[in-house]
PDB file of all heavy atoms in Angstrom:
ATOM      1  N   LEU A   1      76.438 112.696 102.598  1.00  0.00           N
ATOM      2  CA  LEU A   1      77.492 113.110 101.679  1.00  0.00           C
ATOM      3  C   LEU A   1      78.165 111.901 101.037  1.00  0.00           C
ATOM      4  O   LEU A   1      78.556 110.954 101.721  1.00  0.00           O
ATOM      5  CB  LEU A   1      78.537 113.934 102.434  1.00  0.00           C
ATOM      6  CG  LEU A   1      79.628 114.596 101.599  1.00  0.00           C
ATOM      7  CD1 LEU A   1      79.039 115.643 100.662  1.00  0.00           C
ATOM      8  CD2 LEU A   1      80.675 115.236 102.515  1.00  0.00           C
ATOM      9  N   HIS A   2      78.297 111.959  99.706  1.00  0.00           N
ATOM     10  CA  HIS A   2      79.005 110.930  98.953  1.00  0.00           C
ATOM     11  C   HIS A   2      80.057 111.603  98.079  1.00  0.00           C
ATOM     12  O   HIS A   2      79.931 112.775  97.704  1.00  0.00           O
ATOM     13  CB  HIS A   2      78.043 110.136  98.071  1.00  0.00           C
ATOM     14  CG  HIS A   2      77.042 109.329  98.842  1.00  0.00           C
ATOM     15  ND1 HIS A   2      77.239 108.002  99.169  1.00  0.00           N
ATOM     16  CD2 HIS A   2      75.840 109.669  99.360  1.00  0.00           C
ATOM     17  CE1 HIS A   2      76.190 107.558  99.845  1.00  0.00           C
ATOM     18  NE2 HIS A   2      75.338 108.557  99.981  1.00  0.00           N
ATOM     19  N   LEU A   3      81.073 110.820  97.724  1.00  0.00           N
ATOM     20  CA  LEU A   3      82.152 111.308  96.862  1.00  0.00           C
ATOM     21  C   LEU A   3      82.394 110.293  95.756  1.00  0.00           C
ATOM     22  O   LEU A   3      82.484 109.087  96.019  1.00  0.00           O
ATOM     23  CB  LEU A   3      83.432 111.507  97.678  1.00  0.00           C
ATOM     24  CG  LEU A   3      84.713 111.844  96.909  1.00  0.00           C
ATOM     25  CD1 LEU A   3      84.606 113.210  96.246  1.00  0.00           C
ATOM     26  CD2 LEU A   3      85.922 111.807  97.852  1.00  0.00           C
ATOM     27  N   ALA A   4      82.477 110.796  94.527  1.00  0.00           N
ATOM     28  CA  ALA A   4      82.868 109.958  93.393  1.00  0.00           C
ATOM     29  C   ALA A   4      84.052 110.614  92.714  1.00  0.00           C
ATOM     30  O   ALA A   4      84.063 111.826  92.517  1.00  0.00           O
ATOM     31  CB  ALA A   4      81.709 109.792  92.413  1.00  0.00           C
ATOM     32  N   MET A   5      85.052 109.824  92.365  1.00  0.00           N
ATOM     33  CA  MET A   5      86.204 110.369  91.630  1.00  0.00           C
ATOM     34  C   MET A   5      86.578 109.398  90.518  1.00  0.00           C
ATOM     35  O   MET A   5      86.513 108.184  90.683  1.00  0.00           O
ATOM     36  CB  MET A   5      87.380 110.646  92.564  1.00  0.00           C
ATOM     37  CG  MET A   5      88.026 109.435  93.187  1.00  0.00           C
ATOM     38  SD  MET A   5      89.493 109.894  94.161  1.00  0.00           S
ATOM     39  CE  MET A   5      88.728 110.661  95.583  1.00  0.00           C
ATOM     40  N   GLY A   6      86.938 109.993  89.375  1.00  0.00           N
ATOM     41  CA  GLY A   6      87.259 109.168  88.225  1.00  0.00           C
ATOM     42  C   GLY A   6      88.417 109.729  87.436  1.00  0.00           C
ATOM     43  O   GLY A   6      88.888 110.853  87.683  1.00  0.00           O
ATOM     44  N   PRO A   7      88.873 109.007  86.411  1.00  0.00           N
ATOM     45  CA  PRO A   7      90.059 109.392  85.639  1.00  0.00           C
ATOM     46  C   PRO A   7      89.713 110.339  84.505  1.00  0.00           C
ATOM     47  O   PRO A   7      90.016 110.083  83.341  1.00  0.00           O
ATOM     48  CB  PRO A   7      90.544 108.045  85.104  1.00  0.00           C
ATOM     49  CG  PRO A   7      89.265 107.302  84.843  1.00  0.00           C
ATOM     50  CD  PRO A   7      88.325 107.703  85.962  1.00  0.00           C
ATOM     51  N   TRP A   8      89.099 111.440  84.866  1.00  0.00           N
ATOM     52  CA  TRP A   8      88.548 112.353  83.863  1.00  0.00           C
ATOM     53  C   TRP A   8      89.290 113.685  83.882  1.00  0.00           C
ATOM     54  O   TRP A   8      89.947 114.040  84.848  1.00  0.00           O
ATOM     55  CB  TRP A   8      87.061 112.612  84.143  1.00  0.00           C
ATOM     56  CG  TRP A   8      86.268 111.372  84.378  1.00  0.00           C
ATOM     57  CD1 TRP A   8      86.156 110.302  83.532  1.00  0.00           C
ATOM     58  CD2 TRP A   8      85.470 111.054  85.533  1.00  0.00           C
ATOM     59  NE1 TRP A   8      85.332 109.350  84.087  1.00  0.00           N
ATOM     60  CE2 TRP A   8      84.898 109.780  85.313  1.00  0.00           C
ATOM     61  CE3 TRP A   8      85.168 111.724  86.717  1.00  0.00           C
ATOM     62  CZ2 TRP A   8      84.060 109.165  86.239  1.00  0.00           C
ATOM     63  CZ3 TRP A   8      84.336 111.121  87.645  1.00  0.00           C
ATOM     64  CH2 TRP A   8      83.787 109.855  87.392  1.00  0.00           C
ATOM     65  N   ASN A   9      89.109 114.422  82.800  1.00  0.00           N
ATOM     66  CA  ASN A   9      89.496 115.814  82.798  1.00  0.00           C
ATOM     67  C   ASN A   9      88.351 116.639  83.378  1.00  0.00           C
ATOM     68  O   ASN A   9      87.400 116.086  83.945  1.00  0.00           O
ATOM     69  CB  ASN A   9      89.881 116.278  81.386  1.00  0.00           C
ATOM     70  CG  ASN A   9      88.757 116.092  80.381  1.00  0.00           C
ATOM     71  OD1 ASN A   9      87.597 115.869  80.738  1.00  0.00           O
ATOM     72  ND2 ASN A   9      89.086 116.192  79.109  1.00  0.00           N
ATOM     73  N   HIS A  10      88.413 117.930  83.236  1.00  0.00           N
ATOM     74  CA  HIS A  10      87.400 118.835  83.784  1.00  0.00           C
ATOM     75  C   HIS A  10      86.061 118.591  83.083  1.00  0.00           C
ATOM     76  O   HIS A  10      85.904 118.910  81.903  1.00  0.00           O
ATOM     77  CB  HIS A  10      87.861 120.274  83.572  1.00  0.00           C
ATOM     78  CG  HIS A  10      87.050 121.307  84.268  1.00  0.00           C
ATOM     79  ND1 HIS A  10      86.974 121.413  85.636  1.00  0.00           N
ATOM     80  CD2 HIS A  10      86.276 122.319  83.784  1.00  0.00           C
ATOM     81  CE1 HIS A  10      86.213 122.432  85.959  1.00  0.00           C
ATOM     82  NE2 HIS A  10      85.763 122.996  84.859  1.00  0.00           N
ATOM     83  N   GLY A  11      85.107 117.988  83.795  1.00  0.00           N
ATOM     84  CA  GLY A  11      83.806 117.697  83.213  1.00  0.00           C
ATOM     85  C   GLY A  11      83.747 116.417  82.401  1.00  0.00           C
ATOM     86  O   GLY A  11      82.719 116.122  81.799  1.00  0.00           O
ATOM     87  N   GLY A  12      84.813 115.636  82.388  1.00  0.00           N
ATOM     88  CA  GLY A  12      84.852 114.442  81.565  1.00  0.00           C
ATOM     89  C   GLY A  12      83.868 113.366  81.961  1.00  0.00           C
ATOM     90  O   GLY A  12      83.582 112.462  81.171  1.00  0.00           O
ATOM     91  N   GLU A  13      83.298 113.459  83.159  1.00  0.00           N
ATOM     92  CA  GLU A  13      82.367 112.439  83.623  1.00  0.00           C
ATOM     93  C   GLU A  13      81.058 112.409  82.847  1.00  0.00           C
ATOM     94  O   GLU A  13      80.318 111.428  82.907  1.00  0.00           O
ATOM     95  CB  GLU A  13      82.069 112.630  85.115  1.00  0.00           C
ATOM     96  CG  GLU A  13      81.450 113.963  85.489  1.00  0.00           C
ATOM     97  CD  GLU A  13      82.483 115.034  85.804  1.00  0.00           C
ATOM     98  OE1 GLU A  13      83.593 114.984  85.270  1.00  0.00           O
ATOM     99  OE2 GLU A  13      82.153 115.933  86.601  1.00  0.00           O
ATOM    100  N   ILE A  14      80.746 113.475  82.093  1.00  0.00           N
ATOM    101  CA  ILE A  14      79.496 113.469  81.326  1.00  0.00           C
ATOM    102  C   ILE A  14      79.717 112.996  79.891  1.00  0.00           C
ATOM    103  O   ILE A  14      78.762 112.961  79.106  1.00  0.00           O
ATOM    104  CB  ILE A  14      78.812 114.850  81.326  1.00  0.00           C
ATOM    105  CG1 ILE A  14      79.623 115.874  80.523  1.00  0.00           C
ATOM    106  CG2 ILE A  14      78.552 115.324  82.744  1.00  0.00           C
ATOM    107  CD1 ILE A  14      78.882 117.192  80.313  1.00  0.00           C
ATOM    108  N   GLY A  15      80.947 112.623  79.560  1.00  0.00           N
ATOM    109  CA  GLY A  15      81.241 112.176  78.204  1.00  0.00           C
ATOM    110  C   GLY A  15      81.779 110.761  78.180  1.00  0.00           C
ATOM    111  O   GLY A  15      81.560 109.962  79.094  1.00  0.00           O
ATOM    112  N   ASP A  16      82.511 110.452  77.125  1.00  0.00           N
ATOM    113  CA  ASP A  16      83.131 109.142  76.968  1.00  0.00           C
ATOM    114  C   ASP A  16      84.379 109.089  77.838  1.00  0.00           C
ATOM    115  O   ASP A  16      85.326 109.838  77.628  1.00  0.00           O
ATOM    116  CB  ASP A  16      83.484 108.909  75.496  1.00  0.00           C
ATOM    117  CG  ASP A  16      84.027 107.509  75.230  1.00  0.00           C
ATOM    118  OD1 ASP A  16      84.508 106.852  76.180  1.00  0.00           O
ATOM    119  OD2 ASP A  16      83.966 107.062  74.067  1.00  0.00           O
ATOM    120  N   GLY A  17      84.390 108.189  78.805  1.00  0.00           N
ATOM    121  CA  GLY A  17      85.518 108.068  79.721  1.00  0.00           C
ATOM    122  C   GLY A  17      86.367 106.851  79.464  1.00  0.00           C
ATOM    123  O   GLY A  17      86.963 106.293  80.399  1.00  0.00           O
ATOM    124  N   SER A  18      86.480 106.441  78.203  1.00  0.00           N
ATOM    125  CA  SER A  18      87.276 105.256  77.864  1.00  0.00           C
ATOM    126  C   SER A  18      88.769 105.542  77.868  1.00  0.00           C
ATOM    127  O   SER A  18      89.580 104.632  78.060  1.00  0.00           O
ATOM    128  CB  SER A  18      86.869 104.724  76.486  1.00  0.00           C
ATOM    129  OG  SER A  18      85.495 104.432  76.437  1.00  0.00           O
ATOM    130  N   SER A  19      89.140 106.787  77.625  1.00  0.00           N
ATOM    131  CA  SER A  19      90.549 107.146  77.548  1.00  0.00           C
ATOM    132  C   SER A  19      90.697 108.630  77.841  1.00  0.00           C
ATOM    133  O   SER A  19      89.720 109.380  77.844  1.00  0.00           O
ATOM    134  CB  SER A  19      91.117 106.820  76.159  1.00  0.00           C
ATOM    135  OG  SER A  19      90.460 107.592  75.165  1.00  0.00           O
ATOM    136  N   LEU A  20      91.936 109.032  78.067  1.00  0.00           N
ATOM    137  CA  LEU A  20      92.259 110.446  78.221  1.00  0.00           C
ATOM    138  C   LEU A  20      93.691 110.633  77.747  1.00  0.00           C
ATOM    139  O   LEU A  20      94.626 110.053  78.322  1.00  0.00           O
ATOM    140  CB  LEU A  20      92.117 110.900  79.679  1.00  0.00           C
ATOM    141  CG  LEU A  20      92.389 112.391  79.927  1.00  0.00           C
ATOM    142  CD1 LEU A  20      91.383 113.256  79.185  1.00  0.00           C
ATOM    143  CD2 LEU A  20      92.368 112.713  81.420  1.00  0.00           C
ATOM    144  N   GLY A  21      93.871 111.422  76.694  1.00  0.00           N
ATOM    145  CA  GLY A  21      95.201 111.545  76.126  1.00  0.00           C
ATOM    146  C   GLY A  21      95.719 110.170  75.755  1.00  0.00           C
ATOM    147  O   GLY A  21      95.027 109.390  75.094  1.00  0.00           O
ATOM    148  N   PRO A  22      96.916 109.807  76.223  1.00  0.00           N
ATOM    149  CA  PRO A  22      97.467 108.493  75.881  1.00  0.00           C
ATOM    150  C   PRO A  22      96.974 107.365  76.780  1.00  0.00           C
ATOM    151  O   PRO A  22      97.283 106.196  76.527  1.00  0.00           O
ATOM    152  CB  PRO A  22      98.970 108.702  76.069  1.00  0.00           C
ATOM    153  CG  PRO A  22      99.045 109.694  77.182  1.00  0.00           C
ATOM    154  CD  PRO A  22      97.877 110.626  76.974  1.00  0.00           C
ATOM    155  N   LEU A  23      96.228 107.693  77.828  1.00  0.00           N
ATOM    156  CA  LEU A  23      95.795 106.689  78.803  1.00  0.00           C
ATOM    157  C   LEU A  23      94.532 105.984  78.325  1.00  0.00           C
ATOM    158  O   LEU A  23      93.564 106.629  77.923  1.00  0.00           O
ATOM    159  CB  LEU A  23      95.547 107.338  80.164  1.00  0.00           C
ATOM    160  CG  LEU A  23      96.700 108.148  80.764  1.00  0.00           C
ATOM    161  CD1 LEU A  23      96.316 108.666  82.141  1.00  0.00           C
ATOM    162  CD2 LEU A  23      97.973 107.305  80.833  1.00  0.00           C
ATOM    163  N   LYS A  24      94.545 104.666  78.414  1.00  0.00           N
ATOM    164  CA  LYS A  24      93.389 103.863  78.034  1.00  0.00           C
ATOM    165  C   LYS A  24      92.926 103.093  79.263  1.00  0.00           C
ATOM    166  O   LYS A  24      93.728 102.459  79.952  1.00  0.00           O
ATOM    167  CB  LYS A  24      93.756 102.907  76.889  1.00  0.00           C
ATOM    168  CG  LYS A  24      94.268 103.618  75.637  1.00  0.00           C
ATOM    169  CD  LYS A  24      94.594 102.638  74.526  1.00  0.00           C
ATOM    170  CE  LYS A  24      95.249 103.336  73.339  1.00  0.00           C
ATOM    171  NZ  LYS A  24      94.402 104.401  72.769  1.00  0.00           N
ATOM    172  N   PHE A  25      91.618 103.134  79.525  1.00  0.00           N
ATOM    173  CA  PHE A  25      91.093 102.568  80.761  1.00  0.00           C
ATOM    174  C   PHE A  25      90.340 101.254  80.569  1.00  0.00           C
ATOM    175  O   PHE A  25      89.830 100.676  81.538  1.00  0.00           O
ATOM    176  CB  PHE A  25      90.194 103.593  81.458  1.00  0.00           C
ATOM    177  CG  PHE A  25      90.862 104.915  81.683  1.00  0.00           C
ATOM    178  CD1 PHE A  25      90.327 106.086  81.168  1.00  0.00           C
ATOM    179  CD2 PHE A  25      92.055 104.986  82.389  1.00  0.00           C
ATOM    180  CE1 PHE A  25      90.948 107.307  81.361  1.00  0.00           C
ATOM    181  CE2 PHE A  25      92.693 106.208  82.579  1.00  0.00           C
ATOM    182  CZ  PHE A  25      92.136 107.371  82.069  1.00  0.00           C
ATOM    183  N   SER A  26      90.208 100.792  79.333  1.00  0.00           N
ATOM    184  CA  SER A  26      89.567  99.501  79.020  1.00  0.00           C
ATOM    185  C   SER A  26      88.101  99.456  79.432  1.00  0.00           C
ATOM    186  O   SER A  26      87.542  98.382  79.613  1.00  0.00           O
ATOM    187  CB  SER A  26      90.337  98.346  79.699  1.00  0.00           C
ATOM    188  OG  SER A  26      91.692  98.353  79.317  1.00  0.00           O
ATOM    189  N   GLN A  27      87.475 100.605  79.590  1.00  0.00           N
ATOM    190  CA  GLN A  27      86.065 100.681  79.980  1.00  0.00           C
ATOM    191  C   GLN A  27      85.641 102.139  79.864  1.00  0.00           C
ATOM    192  O   GLN A  27      86.477 103.035  79.956  1.00  0.00           O
ATOM    193  CB  GLN A  27      85.870 100.199  81.423  1.00  0.00           C
ATOM    194  CG  GLN A  27      86.743 100.941  82.424  1.00  0.00           C
ATOM    195  CD  GLN A  27      86.962 100.197  83.713  1.00  0.00           C
ATOM    196  OE1 GLN A  27      86.022 100.007  84.476  1.00  0.00           O
ATOM    197  NE2 GLN A  27      88.193  99.758  83.955  1.00  0.00           N
ATOM    198  N   ASP A  28      84.357 102.361  79.676  1.00  0.00           N
ATOM    199  CA  ASP A  28      83.852 103.731  79.616  1.00  0.00           C
ATOM    200  C   ASP A  28      83.538 104.177  81.040  1.00  0.00           C
ATOM    201  O   ASP A  28      82.436 103.957  81.553  1.00  0.00           O
ATOM    202  CB  ASP A  28      82.612 103.812  78.726  1.00  0.00           C
ATOM    203  CG  ASP A  28      82.147 105.249  78.500  1.00  0.00           C
ATOM    204  OD1 ASP A  28      82.561 106.138  79.261  1.00  0.00           O
ATOM    205  OD2 ASP A  28      81.348 105.482  77.573  1.00  0.00           O
ATOM    206  N   THR A  29      84.508 104.793  81.677  1.00  0.00           N
ATOM    207  CA  THR A  29      84.361 105.164  83.085  1.00  0.00           C
ATOM    208  C   THR A  29      83.306 106.243  83.290  1.00  0.00           C
ATOM    209  O   THR A  29      82.675 106.307  84.349  1.00  0.00           O
ATOM    210  CB  THR A  29      85.704 105.645  83.652  1.00  0.00           C
ATOM    211  OG1 THR A  29      86.145 106.803  82.916  1.00  0.00           O
ATOM    212  CG2 THR A  29      86.757 104.554  83.523  1.00  0.00           C
ATOM    213  N   GLY A  30      83.113 107.112  82.279  1.00  0.00           N
ATOM    214  CA  GLY A  30      82.070 108.127  82.394  1.00  0.00           C
ATOM    215  C   GLY A  30      80.687 107.499  82.402  1.00  0.00           C
ATOM    216  O   GLY A  30      79.828 107.840  83.226  1.00  0.00           O
ATOM    217  N   LEU A  31      80.455 106.573  81.483  1.00  0.00           N
ATOM    218  CA  LEU A  31      79.171 105.881  81.420  1.00  0.00           C
ATOM    219  C   LEU A  31      78.927 105.078  82.691  1.00  0.00           C
ATOM    220  O   LEU A  31      77.811 105.072  83.228  1.00  0.00           O
ATOM    221  CB  LEU A  31      79.140 104.968  80.202  1.00  0.00           C
ATOM    222  CG  LEU A  31      77.847 104.175  79.977  1.00  0.00           C
ATOM    223  CD1 LEU A  31      76.680 105.123  79.736  1.00  0.00           C
ATOM    224  CD2 LEU A  31      78.007 103.208  78.802  1.00  0.00           C
ATOM    225  N   GLN A  32      79.958 104.407  83.193  1.00  0.00           N
ATOM    226  CA  GLN A  32      79.807 103.637  84.423  1.00  0.00           C
ATOM    227  C   GLN A  32      79.427 104.532  85.596  1.00  0.00           C
ATOM    228  O   GLN A  32      78.567 104.172  86.410  1.00  0.00           O
ATOM    229  CB  GLN A  32      81.104 102.882  84.715  1.00  0.00           C
ATOM    230  CG  GLN A  32      81.378 101.758  83.737  1.00  0.00           C
ATOM    231  CD  GLN A  32      82.773 101.196  83.870  1.00  0.00           C
ATOM    232  OE1 GLN A  32      83.675 101.845  84.414  1.00  0.00           O
ATOM    233  NE2 GLN A  32      82.977  99.991  83.371  1.00  0.00           N
ATOM    234  N   PHE A  33      80.056 105.690  85.689  1.00  0.00           N
ATOM    235  CA  PHE A  33      79.699 106.628  86.755  1.00  0.00           C
ATOM    236  C   PHE A  33      78.244 107.059  86.633  1.00  0.00           C
ATOM    237  O   PHE A  33      77.490 107.056  87.620  1.00  0.00           O
ATOM    238  CB  PHE A  33      80.617 107.848  86.710  1.00  0.00           C
ATOM    239  CG  PHE A  33      80.053 109.056  87.399  1.00  0.00           C
ATOM    240  CD1 PHE A  33      79.987 109.122  88.778  1.00  0.00           C
ATOM    241  CD2 PHE A  33      79.543 110.125  86.660  1.00  0.00           C
ATOM    242  CE1 PHE A  33      79.438 110.242  89.421  1.00  0.00           C
ATOM    243  CE2 PHE A  33      79.004 111.235  87.289  1.00  0.00           C
ATOM    244  CZ  PHE A  33      78.953 111.292  88.674  1.00  0.00           C
ATOM    245  N   ARG A  34      77.824 107.422  85.429  1.00  0.00           N
ATOM    246  CA  ARG A  34      76.458 107.916  85.263  1.00  0.00           C
ATOM    247  C   ARG A  34      75.431 106.824  85.542  1.00  0.00           C
ATOM    248  O   ARG A  34      74.401 107.072  86.183  1.00  0.00           O
ATOM    249  CB  ARG A  34      76.267 108.478  83.851  1.00  0.00           C
ATOM    250  CG  ARG A  34      77.138 109.689  83.555  1.00  0.00           C
ATOM    251  CD  ARG A  34      76.743 110.396  82.267  1.00  0.00           C
ATOM    252  NE  ARG A  34      76.801 109.562  81.085  1.00  0.00           N
ATOM    253  CZ  ARG A  34      77.879 109.346  80.349  1.00  0.00           C
ATOM    254  NH1 ARG A  34      79.043 109.880  80.712  1.00  0.00           N
ATOM    255  NH2 ARG A  34      77.819 108.592  79.263  1.00  0.00           N
TER     256      ARG A  34
END
């Protein structure tokens, strides 16, 4: 069993994870996860 968690909305891990609303993460967290 493994667990991954990221700063995404519902299903956001399959898209662009660079930001969410006003939050900017300075990296594409979705792409990094994938």
Side-chain angles (χ1 to χ4, degrees):
L1 187 64
H2 295 266
L3 172 66
M5 67 175 73
W8 311 304
N9 58 14
H10 190 65
E13 60 271 28
I14 69 171
D16 185 339
S18 303
S19 63
L20 182 63
L23 305 183
K24 301 181 186 301
F25 306 122
S26 304
Q27 55 201 293
D28 187 343
T29 61
L31 181 63
Q32 291 169 340
F33 159 73
R34 296 191 301 274

